[in-house]
Amino acid sequence: MQEESIRRSWADTVKVYLEVPTLRMFVLGFSAGLPLMLVLGTLSFWLREAGIERTTIGYLSWIGLVYGFKWVWAPLVDRLPIPFLTRLMGRRRSWMLFAQSLIAGGLVGMALHDPKQALEPMVWCALMVAFGSATQDIALDALRIESADVDRQAAMAAAYQTGYRLAMIWAGAGVLWIAASAEVSGTAGYQHGAWQAAYLIMAISMLAGMVTVVFSKEPVRIALPPARNLREWARSTLIGPFSEFFSRYKWQAVLVLSLIAVYRVSDVVMGIMANPFYVDMGYTKIEVASVSKIYGVVMTLAGAFIGGALSMRIGVMRVLMLGAVLSAASNVLFSWLAGHGHDVNALIFVISADNLSSGIASAAFIAYLSSLTNINYSATQYAIFSSIMLLLPKFLAGYSGSYVDKFGYSNFFIATALLGVPVVILVWLASRMHTARDGREDGK
């Protein structure tokens, strides 16, 4: 990975964000970010308001493990066509449209089931959304990598991340605002109809990504040598992406994969309990929605732009380090908020800091993962990296509810911040490794 970046003026840097492929990636990032929040974030607010126990909510976050295993079917998305649809639209776009249809259908199913009356059907619909979302990620990551050269990947990642984060705000603050507005006045307590209306609107929101896919341009397909038999096909499709990466990095692959596995651990583990925390602290849906909608949007845009721009100017690894430190530090602020009590101004400060740090870290991390892929295996290798990224954090997050029940919110948030310490160490080691590799390649 070449860490030495091309020096650009700030005007040239901004122009990259206005190019059509970058703007398209912004909308597709919105389509990718919408379902994740609806099955892992906002859902926990809904479940807690419906009276579901924190421990159960924590265990249900294991739905997110679907994202951790998407590498299993990524080779199929990378190579297999969908009958008729692939011939009509191309390999990447056909899989994306298929996945988006699964997401929309699953969201409708979630809307139609009341978790207070029947939790299991909703869980199955949430799994359908998660599977469709993971499949969309596989195809979209490949399309992003194949649609721009290496020098523009940071801008593409920032645009993707901006759309992604805005979708998470729409699927978080937007859902809370819609649900609060749809409540029947004069009726106290939990109202399923309000949440139903909110989730149906989220299903309709998937049309933004679906329309963009229909009118997008399929990237130029990489010509691959035809397989002469099933064994050769399996070797090139299933084994090739793994063997190519390990042959390229050898023993250093362990360091790279370790960094990928833990980089988002602080954010992911903390995030599962964020919405139950707001409910238990007495914040209303309108309060949380208003703070996230205004300050969350501004700080997300700022964080994604800063992360992408700095990555192009000073290098991805330096921004990775900055993001790791800021992500851990923002969790400490949540611990402070837990002891501070119900205070909207304090909530504004904490959510703003959290969104800014997350935007910076995510933009740099996506650019880093993109730089590790080989164009011949872009979908599969990126799916492997992003699966590893979520597997350990999602597993640990399943125990977040029981940890809070036993030790309290303040201790929980401090513990998630401490999870960031090994991340900082691994970023430092990986930075030294990449610098050494780049030096050897330049000396050849």
Side-chain angles (χ1 to χ4, degrees), residues 217-424:
K217 180 181 178 182
E218 179 77 3
V220 178
R221 184 170 181 175
I222 303 301
L224 300 173
R228 290 170 294 184
N229 51 54
L230 182 60
R231 181 178 180 181
E232 188 173 308
W233 177 87
R235 184 170 61 249
S236 64
T237 302
L238 304 178
I239 301 174
F242 296 88
S243 61
E244 189 281 331
F245 175 76
F246 281 99
S247 65
R248 185 158 32 109
Y249 282 95
K250 300 181 174 59
W251 67 268
Q252 293 173 334
V254 176
L255 174 59
V256 173
L257 295 178
S258 297
L259 172 58
I260 294 172
V262 301
Y263 188 77
R264 296 298 309 281
V265 67
S266 293
D267 281 345
V268 173
V269 175
M270 185 280 290
I272 297 300
M273 282 295 113
N275 279 318
F277 169 67
Y278 300 146
V279 174
D280 293 339
M281 290 289 289
Y283 291 104
T284 66
K285 289 193 285 291
I286 290 295
E287 287 175 335
V288 176
S290 298
V291 172
S292 300
K293 181 179 178 182
I294 300 173
Y295 298 93
V297 167
V298 172
M299 301 311 286
T300 293
L301 289 171
F305 176 80
I306 291 171
L310 287 179
S311 294
M312 287 190 288
R313 290 183 63 83
I314 66 174
V316 172
M317 298 308 296
R318 292 186 180 93
V319 185
L320 273 183
M321 177 64 79
L322 176 64
V325 173
L326 291 178
S327 294
S330 65
N331 286 13
V332 176
L333 294 178
F334 276 93
S335 178
W336 168 78
L337 183 62
H340 187 72
H342 185 281
D343 183 340
V344 174
N345 289 327
L347 182 66
I348 290 172
F349 171 68
V350 172
I351 286 183
S352 297
D354 183 58
N355 278 273
L356 178 66
S357 62
S358 183
I360 292 172
S362 296
F365 193 48
I366 291 170
Y368 177 64
L369 296 185
S370 300
S371 71
L372 297 174
T373 63
N374 181 303
I375 194 69
N376 291 324
Y377 305 104
S378 55
T380 302
Q381 287 189 341
Y382 196 93
I384 294 169
F385 299 148
S386 56
S387 296
I388 293 172
M389 170 187 76
L390 291 173
L391 197 56
L392 178 62
K394 292 296 183 188
F395 176 75
L396 293 177
Y399 297 102
S400 59
S402 57
Y403 191 99
V404 170
D405 285 341
K406 188 172 183 180
F407 299 105
Y409 280 115
S410 182
N411 289 328
F412 168 72
F413 292 132
I414 291 294
T416 61
L418 291 175
L419 290 174
V421 174
V423 177
V424 172

Side-chain angles (χ1 to χ4, degrees), residues 195-215:
W195 287 100
Q196 183 179 76
Y199 266 66
L200 287 175
I201 290 175
M202 291 302 110
I204 295 173
S205 298
M206 284 300 300
L207 285 174
M210 299 171 80
V211 171
T212 301
V213 166
V214 171
F215 289 98

